[in-house]
Amino acid sequence: MSVFLEALAWLFSPERLGAGGIPQRIGEHLWFTLIAFALASAIAVPLGYLVGHTGRGREVAVAVAGAARALPSFGLILLLVMLVGVLQIGAAVTAALVILAIPSILAGAYAGIEAIDRRTIDAARAVGMTEWQVLTRVEIPLGLPLLLSGMRNGVLQIVATATLAGYVGLGGLGDDILQGIALRNYPQTLGGALLVVALALVLDGVFAVLERVAVPHGVRKRGGALPRSSSASRTPAASAAN
Amino acid sequence: MNWVAENAGLILALAVQHLRLSLLPIVLGFAIALPLGYLAHRYRPTRGVLLTALGLLYTIPSLALFVALPVVTGISVLSEANVVTALTIYAVAIQARSVADALDSVDPDVRQAATALGYSGWRRFWAVEFPLAGPVMLAGLRVVAVSTIALVTVGILVGVKSLGYLFTNGFQRRILEEVLSGVVMTMLLALLVDLVLALLGRAVMPWTRIGTPAPRRAAP
Amino acid sequence: MSIEFRGVRKAFPDGTVAVEDFSLVIPSRTTTVLLGSSGCGKTTLLRMVNRMVDPSAGTVLIDDEDVAAVDPVALRRRIGYVMQNSGLLPHRRVADNIATVPRLNGVAKDAARERALQLMDTVGLDRSLADRYPAQLSGGQQQRVGVARALAAEPNILLMDEPFGAVDPIVRAELQQELIRLRRELEKTVVFVTHDVDEAFLLGDQVVLLQRGGRIAQAGTPAEILANPASDFVADFVGAGRGRRSLRVEEIDGVLVVVDADGRPAGVLADEARTAPGSATRGNRAQ
């Protein structure tokens, strides 16, 4: 465990606070995560609702989510950086992160609607709700937990992939890890890794809480069990671990 | 596309290496996840603890796991064994939940009928529950297979060669075709393995072929 | 309000023809039961009234107005609809579920809630249940909420799609009696779909027995159908052909007992019936 202690020593040494230090690295990492998540959500949520509400394009959405799982995220980043040009690394990496996060969020949005009892939606329509009211008053609130579950996968995907962005010199916590490997400075590598893990766990925890809160009263099962367990795992949870 | 033609040998060799590195975690992961998933399915209290713990492992970004794992295992960061272990952990994390869900999905009536027919616990599991849970388990296995094959490429960052070699090498030498062929080959490999698993599933579980999917919006 | 089906046909996109050519007049303030096995098109016909299904050909008229010309959302808000699994919104409390349509129509929250509470009285639900969620109610209570919701917009037409199909026989009998009471009090035009002959005969002023493709095997009052089955199919369906509904009177220990064809007792002959023995021939089995 001495390496572990060395890693902690590296993490908490005073020079980790300045330029290129840990706060800056975390800031970079979070900033990229936030931007990519916002962009991916802005694209995927309306699209997912459209698919979920109309039932059209479902096969396409499933195929896209499936294919995205096979997409090697590291390769995608390098590919986009080369295509867009080294001067636009930030844009290229952001695009890669957005592309990788879209399938999870899209799947969460449409699966959330799809998982609702058809008879509930049928009844909502039968009592005279407009399509918009069916969407906003029934489908969105009841589908929220699965949407958040998809967003949770998407965020973890972004955090993990942003780590790989260190390779193209964009900073973030991956920078410390990769630099450590290159310099054969294992404490630094491990220290960086621990930070990434901590960041991922914190974000995962935040979404876990949100998911729990989002389950509408009345749908909540006794004992606080979330409907996530069975239904969410059936949503094509794009690998968060890339 | 000249580069691809000239380096077909390299690409093929890397693809074989890639496949070897991914199959091990897929198979090992399933073997380990089966008993864990059964425990989670059979004993409710275990379910929460087990699946939450595995879920947390799954949130660890791959690069971080690759470099942090040696602290626990003592295996060298740069060895294949390290990457295979990390990928096996991910595989178990996904597959255990899918096995538990799959066993949960078996109709309790069928289970009771089997018990009433006189199946003992062990035989009932293998003759009734395991095959009936097959389709859902297979779906989980296919997710594991595809994401494992994609993840193997990250191993190049800790010096473990796979198709990921084409990413870093192509990036350093500014050969777009090389990076692109790495991406395409990885996806092809994933789709190929996925297809094989799907066909295997059809062959082993012929009863899944006759079921017509229920219409989404049932006609009244 | 009267409802008229004029030569309606429904073919679904997958090619199945649910209804071939159906015409029927449903008089105002009566209860018409569409009776048939699953797949006979009865639910499809019911759903044409509030445009949940649009006919491929023909017209549906409400008080001589073609429903196709009415905006479906507006139409549905003035027609009550009760379905088998209540179709309540699981994330809304009982009172909010009942108030759904008034709220959609812009009724203020307090007024809508007050109306919901009144309706709970009407359908025999205790007001203390108002803030429960549907999942916290029994199946029978959920159905009552479903009926209250359907009544909330004060519709003149009530569509009921096997509303009591999913509850146990005792609760079903209770709900049936409740419906008979409501119908007397409220004077709505009710269209009721069921596959249960006893339920159809109990509730229907007019019973329409359907065969596959929405073909009318026979339409009439329960008594007419029972007395003169139009075909073997009808006789078989309502049980007249197999003697299930033929009852006879036997004297056991000095008491007149009504028994069915197999000799199983169906009930005891009431005193007033002894003077008019013919009245025992309408064979509703004792419930």
Side-chain angles (χ1 to χ4, degrees):
Chain A
M1 286 313 256
S2 65
V3 221
F4 188 69
L5 293 176
E6 284 173 47
L8 288 179
W10 177 84
L11 271 176
F12 291 109
S13 67
E15 64 259 36
R16 295 274 79 77
L17 288 171
I22 287 164
Q24 188 194 331
R25 290 280 179 254
I26 292 180
E28 287 163 354
H29 212 106
L30 274 177
W31 179 242
F32 271 108
T33 303
L34 191 70
I35 298 270
F37 176 66
L39 285 174
S41 298
I43 298 168
V45 173
L47 215 57
Y49 281 161
L50 191 70
V51 171
H53 181 77
T54 61
R56 279 188 215 118
R58 190 180 168 275
E59 286 74 18
V60 179
V62 171
V64 166
R69 215 179 290 130
L71 199 61
S73 46
F74 183 43
L76 182 69
I77 290 183
L78 297 189
L79 198 62
L80 285 180
V81 168
M82 288 178 84
L83 280 173
V84 175
V86 187
L87 294 176
Q88 297 290 335
I89 291 181
V93 171
T94 308
L97 297 180
V98 169
I99 291 173
L100 290 165
I102 281 177
S104 309
I105 302 175
L106 183 76
Y110 81 67
I113 292 182
E114 206 164 57
I116 303 169
D117 191 334
R118 288 299 106 191
R119 293 173 304 206
T120 303
I121 293 169
D122 188 69
R125 212 165 263 136
V127 300
M129 287 195 186
T130 61
E131 292 306 304
W132 182 251
Q133 286 165 337
V134 170
L135 179 69
T136 55
R137 300 189 186 194
V138 180
E139 292 175 330
I140 290 180
L142 288 175
L144 201 54
L146 276 185
L147 172 68
L148 284 168
S149 164
M151 287 181 157
R152 181 179 180 176
N153 286 330
V155 162
L156 291 174
Q157 170 91 29
I158 295 173
V159 169
T161 310
T163 315
L164 306 178
Y167 186 81
V168 293
L170 203 68
L173 293 164
D175 205 75
D176 285 324
I177 300 177
L178 292 169
Q179 200 183 42
I181 294 175
L183 301 174
R184 306 213 167 254
N185 179 356
Y186 189 57
Q188 176 180 351
T189 298
L190 187 58
L194 291 177
L195 278 181
V196 177
V197 174
L199 188 65
L201 289 180
V202 167
L203 287 173
D204 188 52
V206 168
F207 272 91
V209 171
L210 285 179
E211 257 176 66
R212 200 165 273 259
V213 174
V215 179
H217 289 272
V219 188
R220 216 163 283 199
K221 288 179 195 157
R222 267 174 220 122
L226 288 172
R228 178 173 197 257
S229 48
S230 59
S231 28
S233 58
R234 248 177 283 126
T235 73
S239 144
N242 263 290
Chain B
M1 286 289 109
N2 261 343
W3 185 91
V4 175
E6 284 162 21
N7 293 276
L10 173 71
I11 296 176
L12 197 68
L14 287 172
V16 171
Q17 160 80 349
H18 194 116
L19 198 61
R20 191 171 61 77
L21 278 174
S22 3
L23 287 183
L24 209 54
I26 296 169
V27 174
L28 271 178
F30 186 70
I32 298 170
L34 196 58
L36 289 181
Y38 181 78
L39 281 179
H41 154 74
R42 189 75 179 72
Y43 306 101
R44 287 281 136 185
T46 2
R47 186 189 181 92
V49 177
L50 199 66
L51 294 185
T52 307
L54 290 173
L56 288 178
L57 282 178
Y58 187 62
T59 62
I60 299 177
S62 51
L63 183 58
L65 187 60
F66 287 168
V67 299
L69 198 56
V71 180
V72 184
T73 59
I75 308 170
S76 161
V77 175
L78 304 176
S79 74
E80 279 186 11
N82 181 47
V83 169
V84 168
T85 310
L87 294 178
T88 306
I89 289 175
Y90 286 137
V92 172
I94 310 177
Q95 188 78 62
R97 178 179 281 277
S98 127
V99 168
D101 285 346
L103 291 171
D104 289 347
S105 76
V106 175
D107 188 345
D109 287 348
V110 173
R111 193 176 290 132
Q112 285 192 9
T115 313
L117 285 174
Y119 276 105
S120 63
W122 181 250
R123 285 198 55 193
R124 189 189 68 185
F125 178 79
W126 289 110
V128 180
E129 297 179 75
F130 184 75
L132 286 179
V136 181
M137 284 195 292
L138 178 67
L141 188 62
R142 290 171 64 183
V143 170
V144 169
V146 170
S147 60
T148 300
I149 289 170
L151 271 174
V152 167
T153 56
V154 180
I156 193 63
L157 288 172
V158 289
V160 174
K161 263 197 187 179
S162 64
L163 287 166
Y165 172 79
L166 301 176
F167 300 165
T168 49
N169 191 55
F171 187 72
Q172 281 155 11
R173 295 167 61 197
R174 303 277 156 220
I175 304 173
L176 188 66
E177 290 93 330
E178 186 174 353
V179 179
L180 185 63
S181 62
V183 171
V184 172
M185 278 302 288
T186 307
M187 292 187 79
L188 278 181
L189 209 56
L191 295 179
L192 187 74
V193 171
D194 188 51
L195 188 69
V196 169
L197 284 174
L199 290 177
L200 266 178
R202 284 171 65 97
V204 180
M205 300 179 286
W207 68 90
T208 55
R209 265 175 281 170
I210 49 165
T212 46
R216 208 179 99 84
R217 290 179 203 277
Chain C
M1 292 185 134
S2 66
I3 303 168
E4 185 180 353
F5 293 88
R6 233 179 245 169
V8 295
R9 170 189 170 81
K10 180 65 191 180
F12 284 104
D14 64 357
T16 52
V17 179
V19 177
E20 281 165 10
D21 178 15
F22 181 85
S23 295
L24 180 75
V25 176
I26 295 173
S28 186
R29 296 178 182 184
T30 61
T31 299
T32 293
V33 177
L34 302 179
L35 170 67
S37 321
S38 59
C40 71
K42 55 191 192 296
T43 295
T44 304
L45 285 168
L46 183 82
R47 289 163 72 91
M48 283 179 186
V49 178
N50 66 350
R51 291 197 62 191
M52 288 298 282
V53 172
D54 279 323
S56 318
T59 47
V60 178
L61 305 137
I62 294 178
D63 278 350
D64 299 321
E65 185 189 15
D66 187 350
V67 295
V70 184
D71 171 54
V73 169
L75 181 74
R76 288 168 198 160
R77 287 189 193 171
R78 57 184 172 88
I79 295 177
Y81 186 77
V82 187
M83 55 205 285
Q84 182 172 13
N85 284 283
S86 74
L88 300 176
L89 303 179
H91 59 308
R92 298 217 180 151
R93 295 170 196 276
V94 166
D96 298 329
N97 259 292
I98 297 173
T100 305
V101 180
R103 291 289 288 147
L104 288 175
N105 285 333
V107 174
K109 210 172 167 118
D110 291 347
R113 184 177 169 91
E114 189 43 46
R115 174 94 187 106
L117 292 174
Q118 286 169 10
L119 280 163
M120 290 182 72
D121 300 340
T122 309
V123 300
L125 277 171
D126 198 284
R127 284 189 179 208
S128 66
L129 299 174
D131 290 319
R132 296 260 185 102
Y133 287 103
Q136 297 170 307
L137 302 182
S138 71
Q141 288 170 332
Q142 288 184 20
Q143 282 316 122
R144 286 173 194 262
V145 177
V147 174
R149 177 175 69 178
L151 294 174
E154 302 185 24
N156 290 313
I157 295 172
L158 202 52
L159 306 179
M160 310 188 86
D161 188 2
E162 305 211 24
F164 311 140
V167 294
D168 68 63
I170 293 171
V171 177
R172 188 183 311 150
E174 225 174 87
L175 290 170
Q176 286 166 346
Q177 292 307 322
E178 201 85 353
L179 180 64
I180 290 170
R181 175 181 67 79
L182 278 176
R183 204 180 45 180
R184 258 200 318 267
E185 289 171 12
L186 302 170
E187 299 201 308
K188 311 274 183 204
T189 306
V190 179
V191 188
F192 194 104
V193 159
T194 185
H195 59 257
D196 180 341
V197 181
D198 293 326
E199 187 169 68
F201 285 179
L202 178 67
L203 299 175
D205 298 316
Q206 172 180 232
V207 172
V208 181
L209 177 56
L210 297 170
Q211 272 173 290
R212 230 180 155 65
R215 285 201 308 277
I216 298 180
Q218 188 171 2
T221 65
E224 284 165 4
I225 293 177
L226 208 54
N228 294 306
S231 63
D232 288 349
F233 171 82
V234 177
D236 205 36
F237 197 97
V238 302
R242 291 189 304 267
R244 188 160 71 90
R245 291 184 184 277
S246 59
L247 305 175
R248 60 179 197 280
V249 179
E250 278 181 9
E251 195 179 323
I252 299 170
D253 295 339
V255 180
L256 290 179
V257 176
V258 180
V259 296
D260 68 13
D262 297 327
R264 273 187 282 267
V268 179
L269 204 60
D271 284 344
E272 61 267 29
R274 290 167 192 250
T275 52
S279 65
T281 51
R282 187 188 154 183
N284 260 325
R285 283 182 300 166
Q287 295 277 337

